[in-house]
Amino acid sequence: MSCISSSPCFHAPAVFGVRPSSDFFLVLPVEGENLSLYCENPPPGTKFSPASGTLSGRIAESGDYLVTFEAENSVGCASCGIRLIVGEKI
């Protein structure tokens, strides 16, 4: 997928796996200029940093968590969903 001009564009994985209570650090692969980043539904125990475009922390409970990220600038907007799978078999 290529991005048009400097509009936001994600190149994120559809699925990201982690073991329960393990530290993790997910850097959003997003391109574009002067982006504002947002995160919907961050799992309990995690924190999203719009300044660095990272989701990090520890998720204690096993399960599937769908997290939606959005990026916007003066040229356009884009969103992507990442399914975080937390469990012993990832």
Side-chain angles (χ1 to χ4, degrees), residues 1-89:
M1 171 192 282
S2 63
C3 296
I4 299 171
S5 174
S6 59
S7 63
C9 186
F10 285 96
H11 304 282
V15 178
F16 186 84
V18 64
R19 296 197 185 280
S21 299
S22 295
D23 290 327
F24 80 95
F25 188 79
L26 174 64
V27 179
L28 283 180
V30 60
E31 63 180 279
E33 296 179 9
N34 302 315
L35 295 175
S36 295
L37 299 172
Y38 307 96
C39 176
E40 294 181 20
N41 305 322
T46 66
K47 183 178 180 181
F48 179 68
S49 169
S52 62
T54 58
L55 180 68
S56 61
R58 288 183 182 185
I59 304 171
E61 297 292 322
S62 294
D64 286 8
Y65 300 86
L66 180 59
V67 184
T68 302
F69 298 95
E70 296 178 354
E72 68 180 10
N73 64 13
S74 62
V75 181
C77 60
S79 66
C80 80
I82 298 177
R83 182 176 157 219
L84 296 178
I85 299 175
V86 181
E88 293 300 326
K89 297 180 180 180

